[in-house]
Amino acid sequence: MTDTILVIVEQREGKLNRVSWETLAAGQSLATAMGWNLEAAVLGSGVGAIANEVAGKKVGKVYDLESPTLVSYTPDAFSAALKQFLSSVQPRLVLMPHTYQVRDVIPKLATSMGSTVISDCIGFRKEGELLFTRQMFQGKFAADVSFNCDAPWFVTFQSGAFRGDQAEAGASAAPVETVNIDIPADAIRTKPQPPFKEAKQAVDLTQAEVIISVGRGIKEQKNIELAKQLAEALGGEIAASRPICDSGWLPMDRQIGSSGQTVAPKLYLALGISGAIQHLVGMKGANTIVAINKDPDAPIFEIADYGIVGDLFEIVPAIIEAVKQ
């Protein structure tokens, strides 16, 4: 077992999932704190370009794990490929972004290697031993958790826990090693089907760089059109707090919070959102938070970078006009 941290970079259909940069930033921070080596790996078929992109960051080495069976994601193929690879390189710590895909495969992978997972972490600290912080009870408490098993240790980081733009570039490109993975066809029990036709209506807000989010301060469903106009002007996505989605004013895939999506956009503009803890858990990792609320004591202002106390129905049209100019 080597004192190496390995970041598993996620790609979808040949495109790097940007939350992987956040995990790489976490790996760089951990490597500095522990004095360990940092490496990265990407799985797929024909993903050399992504491996080279990652090699531009401050890592010791990047592995390009190739197999025809990895063209499309299946838990069997990805788990088998990673188990085969990890057994050979033997890193001490394996980091992944806490995405839907990782949540699907990581229990299977860790169990097959006799290990365990500390999932959905928001940070770490070294206090004699390496501790990872994860939220409990919808963000009301934070617990420090350590491993009590043999390595490799598996950790997933919540979106927004680290900033992807803080992943350091390397002085020179890291070496890229192509590793051909042999996975027997009979090891894959699932067969991916074409995407469900209505899936295109869903939105993955974790990939949005600008999010305009509405709360109960929007008053009526018809007023959401104002927020949509602002989102269009800024090139962003529309989202909402839970009461809006529970009322059916926006679909559930637009909900931000502990029971919705966790996001970390460059800009999060909260319109008429008071800032309940369940909502803050889902968006506090945003680079810049702007809140508009008529209540000066709204909790959202405690985490906002910029706050505007006033009537959003007067302020938002002025912002739209300014942006258009």
Side-chain angles (χ1 to χ4, degrees):
M1 191 64 58
T2 60
D3 285 336
T4 298
I5 300 168
L6 181 72
V7 174
I8 305 298
V9 174
E10 181 172 300
Q11 58 86 20
R12 298 176 183 174
E13 298 179 346
K15 184 178 180 181
L16 179 74
N17 186 341
R18 73 182 188 89
V19 296
S20 295
W21 294 129
E22 299 176 12
T23 312
L24 194 63
Q28 291 176 342
S29 184
L30 269 162
T32 299
M34 302 300 295
W36 293 354
N37 301 318
L38 177 65
E39 297 179 344
V42 57
L43 294 79
S45 180
V47 292
I50 295 177
N52 288 323
E53 185 179 358
V54 176
K57 299 298 182 179
K58 188 179 178 182
V59 293
K61 191 175 188 177
V62 179
Y63 297 94
D64 172 12
L65 310 185
E66 294 279 347
S67 173
T69 59
L70 300 175
V71 171
S72 299
Y73 167 77
T74 62
D76 289 332
F78 272 55
S79 176
L82 282 171
K83 180 180 179 181
Q84 186 181 134
F85 174 67
L86 295 174
S87 298
S88 64
V89 297
Q90 296 191 320
R92 188 169 299 279
L93 181 63
V94 180
L95 306 181
M96 299 184 188
H98 193 69
T99 62
Y100 292 115
Q101 181 172 296
V102 168
R103 277 180 255 185
D104 183 50
V105 73
I106 194 68
K108 176 180 176 66
L109 172 62
T111 301
S112 71
M113 299 193 72
S115 187
T116 190
V117 185
I118 300 179
S119 63
D120 208 16
C121 297
I122 59 171
F124 73 90
R125 61 192 178 93
K126 182 182 178 184
E127 195 173 278
E129 60 182 333
L130 184 55
L131 301 172
F132 292 92
T133 304
R134 65 189 312 275
Q135 294 172 324
M136 312 282 284
F137 302 106
Q138 295 188 328
K140 293 183 176 66
F141 299 97
D144 288 332
V145 186
S146 63
F147 285 98
N148 187 26
C149 64
D150 294 333
W153 302 325
F154 295 91
V155 172
T156 69
F157 278 107
Q158 186 181 110
S159 174
F162 291 82
R163 288 180 53 173
D165 59 2
Q166 292 184 349
E168 296 181 55
S172 59
V176 176
E177 180 180 336
T178 300
V179 180
N180 293 310
I181 303 292
D182 183 22
I183 304 173
D186 58 4
I188 303 174
R189 299 168 297 172
T190 53
K191 192 174 292 186
Q193 298 296 311
F196 181 56
K197 289 182 180 180
E198 292 184 6
K200 62 182 180 181
Q201 297 178 4
V203 60
D204 184 1
L205 293 174
T206 65
Q207 303 301 303
E209 295 191 348
V210 176
I211 293 177
I212 311 301
S213 193
V214 297
R216 279 181 284 200
I218 205 72
K219 295 183 180 179
E220 297 180 74
Q221 184 175 8
K222 66 180 182 180
N223 294 332
I224 293 177
E225 181 60 32
L226 183 63
K228 290 182 177 179
Q229 291 174 16
L230 180 56
E232 183 178 349
L234 292 171
E237 291 284 354
I238 190 80
S241 59
R242 180 169 180 171
I244 299 300
C245 295
D246 282 349
S247 298
W249 294 2
L250 283 174
M252 296 304 293
D253 60 19
R254 297 282 176 174
Q255 182 183 324
I256 303 294
S258 57
S259 55
Q261 297 196 49
T262 299
V263 298
K266 291 182 178 178
L267 173 63
Y268 189 91
L269 215 163
L271 308 180
I273 293 176
S274 62
I277 183 64
Q278 291 84 356
H279 184 77
L280 300 185
V281 165
M283 47 67 74
K284 64 182 181 180
N287 287 7
T288 302
I289 299 171
V290 178
I292 302 174
N293 201 299
K294 65 181 181 181
D295 179 7
D297 297 320
I300 190 74
F301 287 128
E302 295 179 11
I303 67 164
D305 297 288
Y306 302 94
I308 304 174
V309 178
D311 187 345
L312 69 87
F313 297 105
E314 296 177 359
I315 296 167
V316 173
I319 295 176
I320 294 172
E321 185 62 29
V323 171
K324 288 181 177 179
Q325 290 178 359

